[in-house]
Amino acid sequence: MILGIGTDLANIERIQGTLDRFGTRFRNRVFTEVEQAKSERRRDVAGTYAKRWAAKEACSKALGTGLRMGINWRDMAVSNISTGQPVMSVTGWAAKRLQEMTPPGHEAVIHVTLTDDHPWAQAFVVIEARVLP
């Protein structure tokens, strides 16, 4: 069963401007150390940050809250499994919200997909509830 769906479109040039203006302060406020390391290793640094920004926005929408009610940017984090597929993990208030919206006898699974075509980065998040075995 689908618990939530979220999408977001981010402008890579806007993210680049924010990186230029606020640098480390912005990175540390919004992105986890893993996200920063991944982004800084990429040729398109701003594009990689923009995709992760869009994923966090999309996840907050799928949680049904947007970025309010106590969700912290760093409570939602994008990493990649060995195949390169992005995965979303949640901690803190986002994890609490996910637990609240997951029906008894189910586990929540967060699906995320990212794409970019300069100057745009886009993310979709679907939160699924799977019946526990």
Side-chain angles (χ1 to χ4, degrees):
M1 128 186 21
I2 303 298
L3 298 179
I5 299 172
T7 184
D8 192 65
L9 185 65
N11 185 286
I12 296 168
E13 293 170 359
R14 186 178 125 235
I15 296 297
Q16 180 64 65
T18 303
L19 289 165
D20 293 344
R21 184 169 178 197
F22 298 105
T24 301
R25 190 170 119 203
F26 170 66
R27 287 180 187 93
N28 290 339
R29 186 176 136 246
V30 176
F31 302 100
T32 65
E33 291 165 8
V34 170
E35 291 172 313
Q36 290 181 49
K38 171 79 172 186
S39 298
E40 295 296 327
R41 282 194 312 266
R42 301 299 298 265
R43 185 172 32 126
D44 182 9
V45 172
T48 305
Y49 277 120
K51 286 186 279 189
R52 279 148 180 74
W53 171 280
K56 291 168 185 275
E57 287 273 9
C59 184
S60 72
K61 293 171 186 174
L63 289 168
T65 63
L67 286 163
R68 57 185 177 88
M69 298 177 62
I71 290 182
N72 182 306
W73 285 103
R74 292 171 55 104
D75 286 348
M76 301 166 288
V78 178
S79 60
N80 299 83
I81 60 175
S82 61
T83 62
Q85 176 185 345
V87 293
M88 174 72 70
S89 61
V90 292
T91 59
W93 199 93
K96 182 179 179 214
R97 171 67 182 149
L98 182 62
Q99 183 179 23
E100 290 170 355
M101 62 191 287
T102 304
H106 291 75
E107 66 176 341
V109 179
I110 303 173
H111 304 276
V112 61
T113 185
L114 309 172
T115 191
D116 64 291
D117 187 8
H118 195 87
W120 301 107
Q122 187 172 32
F124 288 95
V125 171
V126 175
I127 302 175
E128 171 191 13
R130 289 186 188 159
V131 177
L132 290 170

